[in-house]
Amino acid sequence: MFIKAICFTTLLAVAAAQYGHGYGEAHSSQHFIKHDGHPEVVHGHHGHHDYHTHPHYQFDYKVEDHHTGDIKSQHEDRDGDVVKGVYSLHQPDGSERTVHYHGDHHTGFHADVKFGTHHIVPHHHHY
């Protein structure tokens, strides 16, 4: 069984080295900050108490893999019942979709979608 595990691990390492050779690196990142306040007691029934905090957070992430074409990012900020954000992604046809959105208890969810195009330069590999 040990020999099978070594062979499988070696096969994966060779495949990963061949797959990534000559294509550059892929990058990703993420960030999350939570700013919730102190819990407030919300009175329940029969001596039971519930707790509520004011939700407040920010997060963002980014993926950039030019080999697979997986390029996307998002940033979002929530303060109470108000959420605002933007996300962007490169679509298979070469266009970039960017969505700015916001939502709250009073007006609901709204999104503004825009498409942009990029000049695509074909990249040929010789094997």
Side-chain angles (χ1 to χ4, degrees):
M1 184 67 181
F2 180 71
I3 297 297
K4 288 181 184 179
I6 296 253
C7 289
F8 182 71
T9 304
T10 303
L11 179 64
L12 285 178
V14 169
Q18 287 178 344
Y19 183 74
H21 180 69
Y23 294 110
E25 296 181 11
H27 302 280
S28 67
S29 64
Q30 61 186 356
H31 191 245
F32 185 84
I33 300 173
K34 189 173 179 181
H35 302 284
D36 292 347
H38 297 289
E40 297 176 16
V41 176
V42 178
H43 296 285
H45 299 288
H46 308 291
H48 175 75
H49 298 287
D50 289 325
Y51 297 89
H52 172 75
T53 60
H54 180 85
H56 187 190
Y57 65 80
Q58 295 175 342
F59 80 85
D60 57 58
Y61 74 89
K62 182 176 185 178
V63 173
E64 191 171 321
D65 185 345
H66 292 281
H67 174 67
T68 63
D70 189 13
I71 301 171
K72 57 191 169 197
S73 63
Q74 181 176 4
H75 174 81
E76 183 173 287
D77 186 5
R78 178 177 181 183
D79 190 359
D81 72 345
V82 178
V83 177
K84 297 177 184 178
V86 60
Y87 70 87
S88 172
L89 62 101
H90 288 232
Q91 302 190 140
D93 67 358
S95 65
E96 182 178 12
R97 177 176 31 168
T98 302
V99 179
H100 291 265
Y101 61 91
H102 68 276
D104 61 46
H105 182 70
H106 301 291
T107 63
F109 180 79
H110 302 276
D112 180 27
V113 181
K114 295 193 176 177
F115 294 91
T117 57
H118 295 282
H119 179 68
I120 300 173
V121 177
H123 189 210
H124 300 284
H125 297 280
H126 301 284
Y127 297 98

